[in-house]
Amino acid sequence: MQALLKLTNFVSKTFALWAIVFALLAFLFPEQFKIFAPYIPYLLGLVMFGMGITLTFSDFSEVAKHPKSVFIGVAGQFIIMPAIAFGLAKAFDLPADLAVGVILVGSCPGGTSSNVMTYLAKGNTALSVACTTISTLLSPVLTPAIFYVLASQWLDINAGAMFMSVLKMVLFPIFLGLVVRALFKKQVEQASQTMPLVSVISIVLILASVVAVSKDKIVESGLLIFSVVVLHNCLGYLIGYFAAKLFKLNTADSKAVAIEVGMQNSGLGAALAAAHFNPIAAVPSALFSFWHNVSGPILANIFSNIKNEK
């Protein structure tokens, strides 16, 4: 068990490296990774199940203790990132499939790796966990609704079908995880420590399969879409931080909100894009998955040197 925990810790800390390696392998040998594409919803379900079995009531206590901070973090997630995505899609005059892909990843809830980055940044980790949890639980309603409002001018969107998809890929696995934890608490305590390993493997395979099936389109528009993804992520961090400061949150809370806003559940974006649109629509989510695991540690290092207010 100790060896498995050490492996989990190592793989979690080097997530960005594995994202790069497998994205490159999928690009060079696409046929070997295309086989995982049909399993993207199930891989995402595994990640969400892992989130479910690690949730405790203390994760929700931050909502009661600091409702203003949680509200700003969650509101920022569902207002700032979709708005930036829409603006970038318009500014760069993106083709329809890429435009909806960018807006889709912008409409997703916070990514679970934001909690680790907030901890490394010496931010309010409890606030980050609360924001991720609440935004994820709200995502079956808010993600399809926001996406429909912003992206329907490019393609016909079935918000009802997307609602059902998010319900099956996000809410049901989380609920199942909570039930398993309640029934088998002692066994789950040990198993949950290795869930980050399962999550990393699942997200890396989602990323690799999207790269594999979209190789030609990535070659065609790779630099453009990568530039948009980098801008989307970095503007999310920047606007998220200053929005938190504008509402007079302290530095530790502002760090948490910035990271929470900037880092997306790109696995959900890729899964929804693959299920409802052309595979190219999943490319922004795949690139986001890779990029925010590079930018996150960089920002966490910068933030860790900014002193928190007393």
Side-chain angles (χ1 to χ4, degrees), residues 157-206:
I157 291 158
N158 187 334
M162 284 190 69
F163 167 76
M164 291 307 298
S165 291
V166 183
L167 213 60
K168 288 187 283 188
M169 289 188 278
V170 175
L171 220 55
F172 177 69
I174 289 175
F175 176 72
L176 191 61
L178 286 166
V179 170
V180 169
R181 184 184 179 89
L183 293 176
F184 308 102
K185 190 174 180 182
K186 195 173 284 185
Q187 296 92 321
V188 164
E189 287 291 341
Q190 280 192 318
S192 65
Q193 295 177 62
T194 62
M195 281 313 294
L197 177 62
V198 177
S199 296
V200 169
I201 292 170
S202 298
I203 293 170
V204 164
L205 287 177
I206 291 171

Side-chain angles (χ1 to χ4, degrees), residues 60-301:
F60 297 93
S61 64
E62 194 68 16
V63 181
K65 288 180 191 171
H66 305 287
K68 176 186 170 183
S69 299
V70 175
F71 177 79
I72 291 167
V74 174
Q77 180 70 56
F78 286 117
I79 294 171
I80 294 170
M81 289 305 273
I84 295 171
F86 181 80
L88 290 171
K90 285 287 192 182
F92 284 86
D93 194 23
L94 295 179
D97 287 323
L98 289 177
V100 298
V102 171
I103 293 170
L104 182 53
V105 74
S107 305
C108 286
T112 51
S113 52
S114 62
N115 310 148
V116 179
M117 295 307 133
T118 301
Y119 172 76
L120 296 174
K122 297 178 182 174
N124 186 340
T125 308
L127 172 60
S128 177
V129 171
C131 288
T132 301
T133 304
I134 299 301
S135 67
T136 301
L137 294 176
L138 291 173
S139 65
V141 174
L142 292 184
T143 294
I146 293 167
F147 179 66
Y148 178 81
V149 169
L150 296 179
S152 54
Q153 64 178 277
W154 278 281
L155 292 174
D156 288 331
I157 291 158
N158 187 334
M162 284 190 69
F163 167 76
M164 291 307 298
S165 291
V166 183
L167 213 60
K168 288 187 283 188
M169 289 188 278
V170 175
L171 220 55
F172 177 69
I174 289 175
F175 176 72
L176 191 61
L178 286 166
V179 170
V180 169
R181 184 184 179 89
L183 293 176
F184 308 102
K185 190 174 180 182
K186 195 173 284 185
Q187 296 92 321
V188 164
E189 287 291 341
Q190 280 192 318
S192 65
Q193 295 177 62
T194 62
M195 281 313 294
L197 177 62
V198 177
S199 296
V200 169
I201 292 170
S202 298
I203 293 170
V204 164
L205 287 177
I206 291 171
L207 169 62
S209 60
V210 170
V211 169
V213 298
S214 310
K215 178 181 174 178
D216 293 339
K217 288 288 185 181
I218 291 173
V219 171
E220 186 183 316
S221 58
L223 187 59
L224 169 65
I225 199 61
F226 185 69
S227 302
V228 170
V229 164
V230 170
L231 276 171
H232 191 190
N233 174 237
C234 293
L235 286 171
Y237 292 145
L238 189 68
I239 297 171
Y241 184 80
F242 285 107
K245 281 293 185 183
L246 182 68
F247 286 98
K248 297 182 166 46
L249 298 192
N250 63 38
T251 304
D253 285 4
S254 296
K255 290 175 182 178
V257 169
I259 293 170
E260 196 61 34
V261 169
M263 299 188 82
Q264 301 294 91
N265 186 338
S266 44
L268 174 60
L272 289 173
H276 296 279
F277 305 105
N278 191 306
I280 186 63
V283 171
S285 292
L287 290 176
F288 205 108
S289 183
F290 153 69
W291 171 250
H292 80 180
N293 285 298
V294 173
S295 67
I298 294 170
L299 182 66
N301 185 52

